[in-house]
Each structure stands twice: as C-alpha cells, then as structure tokens.
Amino acid sequence: MQAFRFWPDVLADPLSPAMVFDIGGTWFRSAHFSPGLPLAQVQHHPALSFHSDRQASAASLKEGLLAYLVDTALAHGARRCGVSLGAAMDARSGQVYGSGPLWGSDCGGLDLPGELARRTPGVRWHVANDVTCALLHYASQLAPQSPPLRKVMLITVSTGIACRTLDLRTGEVPVDSFGLQGEIGHLPVAPAQWAPRRTLDLCCDCGGRNHLAAFSSGRGLRNLHRALRQHVHPLWAGSLLGRLRAAGVEHEAALADALDAQDPYALTLLRLGTRAMADTLRCALALDPELDRIVLTGGVSTHLGQHYLDALATHFDEAGLYLTSTFDPGYIMNRIVIATPGTADGLYGAGLQMKTAAREWTS
Ligand SMILES: [Zn+2]
C-alpha cells in the first residue's frame, strides 16, 4: 500500500522559504518555514469550529477554513504552503473524511488540496494529518542511537486521541486502503471499573459508547469525573480536587495540583482515565515488537507529565506483556516518553511534509 514517506535529509532541500499552517480545534496557526531554521512570524487565529460557532453549518465552517488559508497565503505572497490538519483524511490524496474538533459529526468530506489549488492557481499546497506532522517533527530531531530505533509511534492525548507510527528504516507511515492509519480514539474499550463489579459507561463525542476517547481524552476525563464523583461522593467531597474546584481553580490545573498532593480522588480518576490507554498500548506492543519508542503528546499527557506516566506504570505492573514483562519488567515503560514542549509541533511538521512531498514530486 502506498505510504507517506519521510526522509530526514529533506531538511537540506534548498527550496525557498514557504508558509505553513496548523489547523486545530482551538487555534489556526500560521508561520514562515525555512528548513533547519526556527519558524518565523508565527501567528494565532481563533479556530473556526462548531464549538466556537454553534450556529454555523459544517459547510460554512469549511468555507471559513478555505478563506482563512487562501487569504493568509496570498497576503504573505506564499507560493508553496504546507498544512497540518486536525482531521481524519486520506494521506495519499489529502481528501478529508471528517473532523470532530472542527466540524463535529459532519462527514460530508472535503477535497481540501483540490479546492485550495482551484482558488490559488499560483500556489502549491501540501496537506497532511496533524498527528503525522507532529511525528515528523519529533523524528527529525532524534539523535542517532545504538541499536537504532526501528519504529516510533506518536500518540496525541488532547481533545481527541489518535496515533501514527513511522518506520524509521524506510521513512514510511504506512496506510490502509483508505489512506488511514492510527485512528485509535474510537476503538471500543472496556468500561471504567470503579469498584468490584461496578462499571461506568460513557458516550463518545462521535456518538459511540465506551470508546478510548470517551474515557482517556481531555473531554473524556472530564466526563469520567462528572460520572465518577456521584458514585464515590464521600471520596469526592473530602478531596483536594473538590476544594480547588470550589475555589474556582480550572479543572486541569486543579487536577495536576491534587495529583501533586496524592489526593485519593484525583489518583482514582487518573487511574480510571488511563486504564483504556494502557490496554491500547499493551496491545500495540504485543502486536508490533518493532515499536521501540512511544511518544505521548497533547495537553492531557504533557500537562499531567510524570503523574500520567506513573498511572500507566501502575496498570502495566498489574498486567504487562505475557512473558516479555516477566523477562524485563521495565520493557513497556522504557519505551514510553512524554514529548518535551516544542518537540512535536504540527506547525513545523507541516513544513517537513511539504518538503518531503516536494522532493518526491521533483524526483
Ligand atoms: Zn468515538
């Protein structure tokens, strides 16, 4: 199957500076991109999404995205643009299938590269998934190792959850017959078990039930908290998290502070919220022994940091990989890291995928 191909030496490509975009559910970002140099003139624009404008139709939101990209590119005189897009899409063609963070449950599709080319005949556009772009940025900074890493998986744990795996030996992000890979957020998982034989079911943003994102995404953790506190009310009522929330501290900050203080309710919430993620990671490592590194990024994992890793480690202590974890108890956790800030940036990765595409186009 045709795959997205990445070669680190694209950084040496002498093509002229170009523009890059990162389109997410909270911000639209743009910058000037030059290989090997920091991004320049980074600008933020509030995202046009069904969250920011509940009255807008999916069609008008897509039109707004097109207008933003076209107007910004033309205003800067760009002739070549790379776009990192928070959407499920065909990696081979750039055809967009849908985007929960941008357009909700709409699945009308969008030929984004085609529409952009039609509106700006003098500009060449390259569109890729934002998780792929973040992974390319991370991989471009990897120092040589002995033995060399074979595959790197990047998982974003934020509003939603998705992952991509890059084979460092071939430079490929393999895809299926629809140009997809790593859409793990909507895989069914076991419901959260908060007491023996007592479980919680949660609905997912996509409308499904008990998906990975329903428990482990940022929105999932909040929904899990709302459901859990009713069942363990004494624990919640006496918790530091409860006191911080009552004092007006924002949820994510309060959760991090409560975890710092080993608050039993916060620890329970994070344990339940990471269970499905641990199950998914364990399964991934069992099926692909060439996964030498798993990088976590996105607000949930980066904000909670070591607490997030500790929660995962607890699950793997309870159940690791058959035989492998007996031979090497640290096998799973030795492969998992949280990306340091700025090392898995879809905006920079949009430039790397653009240069990769340009190299293939000209070869
Ligand atoms: Zn779902």
Side-chain angles (χ1 to χ4, degrees), residues 185-186 204-208 211:
H186 304 287
C204 185
D205 273 357
C206 73
H211 291 174

Side-chain angles (χ1 to χ4, degrees), residues 173-323:
V173 179
V175 294
D176 66 14
S177 56
F178 302 98
L180 292 165
Q181 193 224 100
E183 296 296 339
I184 59 172
H186 304 287
L187 290 176
V189 298
Q193 184 170 353
W194 57 273
R197 294 184 298 281
R198 304 295 297 274
T199 59
L200 279 172
D201 293 333
L202 288 179
C203 285
C204 185
D205 273 357
C206 73
R209 197 167 189 79
N210 293 340
H211 291 174
L212 175 60
F215 297 98
S216 297
S217 69
R219 216 187 306 277
L221 261 183
R222 280 173 175 260
N223 290 338
L224 180 61
H225 160 61
R226 292 189 187 103
L228 178 66
R229 66 186 177 191
Q230 299 171 17
H231 292 288
V232 294
H233 190 74
L235 194 63
W236 162 246
S239 72
L240 176 59
L241 181 59
R243 291 198 297 278
L244 291 170
R245 291 291 286 139
V249 179
E250 187 260 344
H251 180 78
E252 277 72 25
L255 179 58
D257 288 349
L259 289 166
D260 284 342
Q262 297 287 298
D263 174 44
Y265 176 85
L267 290 169
T268 300
L269 175 63
L270 186 59
R271 178 173 59 80
L272 294 176
T274 50
R275 172 64 187 270
M277 178 60 75
D279 290 346
T280 304
L281 294 175
R282 186 188 301 107
C283 191
L285 286 165
L287 292 170
D288 192 347
E290 295 185 327
L291 279 177
D292 291 327
R293 181 165 301 174
I294 295 174
V295 189
L296 303 175
T297 186
V300 175
S301 55
T302 56
H303 190 66
L304 298 179
Q306 190 59 44
H307 296 303
Y308 198 87
L309 293 177
D310 290 345
L312 288 176
T314 300
H315 294 301
F316 297 134
D317 285 344
E318 292 172 358
L321 286 168
Y322 176 62
L323 293 179

